[in-house]
Amino acid sequence: MGLLALFRRTSSTASVAKERLRIIVAQERTTRGGPDYLPLLRRELLEVIRKYVNVDPDAIQIHLENEDGHEVLELSVALPEKAKS
Amino acid sequence: MTEIIVVTSGKGGVGKTTTSASLACGLARRGHRVAVIDFDIGLRNLDLVMGCERRVVYDFVNVLQGECTLKQALIKDKRIETLFVLAASQTRDKDALSQEGVRRLLDEMSADGFEYIICDSPAGIEKGAHLAMYFADRAIVVVNPEVSSVRDSDRILGLLASKTHRAEQDDSTAIKEHLLLTRYSPRRVATGEMMSVADVKEILGIDVIGVVPESPDVLAASNAGTPIILNADSDVARAYEDAVSRLLGDTLPMRFVDQPKKGILARLFGT
C-alpha cells in the first residue's frame, strides 16, 4: 500500500463479493425449506427448456408458497428477447 | 438448566474447533460447569486443540454404545476445574451416532449438572453436522469474510431453521442464532479487499456475537494445545472473551474491527 492505494480504492473486490453473494444467497433462499427435489426440478426444467430456447441459468425462478393451507408452486421463466429457435 | 450450543459453519477450516475450545474455556473460567463435545466422528481434533490428546481413553461412541460410563469418557481439563472434554471417536463409522443416542447422552449430561454443552460440529452438512445442531438451543455460525464461507453459512442457517428439534416442535421457540466472524483483517477491509462485518451481517441477516481478528497467535495456540482464549496477551483472546460476555447477555462494543489510525506520512508511504 502507499500513495497508489489512494487512487485504487474505487475497484474494490469486497463490493464485488458482496454483490455476488447477495444474488446467490437470495436465489438459494427461494428453495430453502421446500421439498428436497426443488433444486433438481429446477435443473431438469432448465434442461428441457434449453432444448428449445437458449435461456440463461438464472432465467427460471421457482417459488413455493403457502396460501390458505394449500401450497402453490410458482414457476417463472424469463425468455431472452430474441429467442433462437 | 442446561444450554446446548452448537458451533457450526458448513465450510471447513474457518475456526469451529478453535472457537469451541475458546468459548468452552471462557465460560468455564467464569465458574460455569461446561462440557465440550467433538462431533467430528473419524476426524478427532478438539482434543489436540484443548491439549488433552494423550489422556483420551474413551470417546463419544464408547459412551453411546455403553462400553463405558459418561464419567469415564469425560476428560477433566487440567487448567480449569469446571471444564470437561468429550473426544470424538477415531476409528468407528459414522453410523455409530444416532439421534436417540445423542439425545440420551445430552440428557445424562444435563442431569449431571452441566450448565453449558458446546457441540463442535464437523464441516459439511452430513450426519455428524446434523446431529451436532439437532438438539441445540443456540447456534454460533463461524464465518470468514469470504464468499464460500458466507454462502455455506447461509445454507447452515437454512438447516438450523428446518432440520432441528426446535424447528420441528410447534410449541418451542426457535434456536438463537449468532454469527462469529474469524480471520478478520481491518486493514484489508479498509482497502476494500475484504468484506466488512456490516457486509456479512447484511447478507446473512443475523446478529454478530464476535469478531476475531486474523492473527498468528491462533496457530501458536493450537501448536501448544492451549486454547487461544488463555493467551492473555492476544487480541484474539480479548475478542473471544467479549463473545463469551455477549453469550452471557452483556452488551459490549465490537473491538478489533477498525484499522488502527496512522499518521499522514505513514498513510502516504507506509507499508
Side-chain angles (χ1 to χ4, degrees), chain A residues 1-6 8-9 11-15 17-22 24-26 28-29 32-34 36, chain B residues 146-147 150-151 154-155 157-158 162-163 190-195 199 202-205 259 262 267-271:
Chain A
M1 220 179 66
L3 197 53
L4 278 176
L6 293 176
R8 242 192 282 135
R9 292 250 163 109
S11 63
S12 141
T13 57
S15 57
K18 186 182 175 188
E19 187 54 23
R20 289 173 62 215
L21 277 168
R22 225 179 38 74
I24 191 70
V25 164
E28 286 173 350
R29 279 183 189 171
R32 180 198 278 186
D36 289 342
Chain B
E146 173 272 324
V147 286
V150 174
R151 183 200 206 168
D154 191 66
R155 187 96 167 81
L157 289 172
S162 61
K163 303 275 197 293
T191 56
E193 295 167 72
M194 181 182 271
M195 283 182 285
D199 292 340
E202 186 188 323
I203 294 160
L204 295 176
Q259 196 184 13
K262 282 187 186 175
R267 230 184 292 177
L268 288 174
F269 305 107
T271 54

Side-chain angles (χ1 to χ4, degrees), chain B residues 17 21-22 40 45 64 77 80 97-98 106 112 117 119 130 139-140 178 199 203 208 215 218 229 248 255:
Chain B
T17 302
S22 280
D40 204 346
N45 273 319
L64 290 187
D77 188 82
I80 306 163
L97 282 193
S98 71
L106 293 173
D112 198 26
I117 301 174
C119 302
H130 170 69
I140 296 190
H178 313 275
D199 292 340
I203 294 160
V208 177
S215 163
V218 175
I229 199 170
L248 295 171
R255 294 194 275 176

Side-chain angles (χ1 to χ4, degrees), chain B residues 2-63:
Chain B
T2 308
E3 181 164 53
I4 301 171
I5 304 173
V6 60
V7 176
T8 181
S9 71
K11 190 172 181 295
V14 296
K16 285 182 295 297
T17 302
T18 300
T19 298
S20 298
S22 280
L23 294 182
C25 278
L27 286 165
R29 256 210 311 200
R30 297 181 192 205
H32 298 289
R33 205 167 134 80
V34 182
V36 53
I37 307 178
D38 189 349
F39 271 79
D40 204 346
I41 303 305
L43 293 168
R44 176 196 292 172
N45 273 319
L46 178 68
D47 56 338
L48 273 176
V49 174
M50 293 292 297
C52 64
E53 69 279 6
R54 295 181 59 188
R55 293 197 292 135
V56 179
V57 181
Y58 295 112
D59 58 51
F60 195 171
V61 172
N62 292 136
V63 188

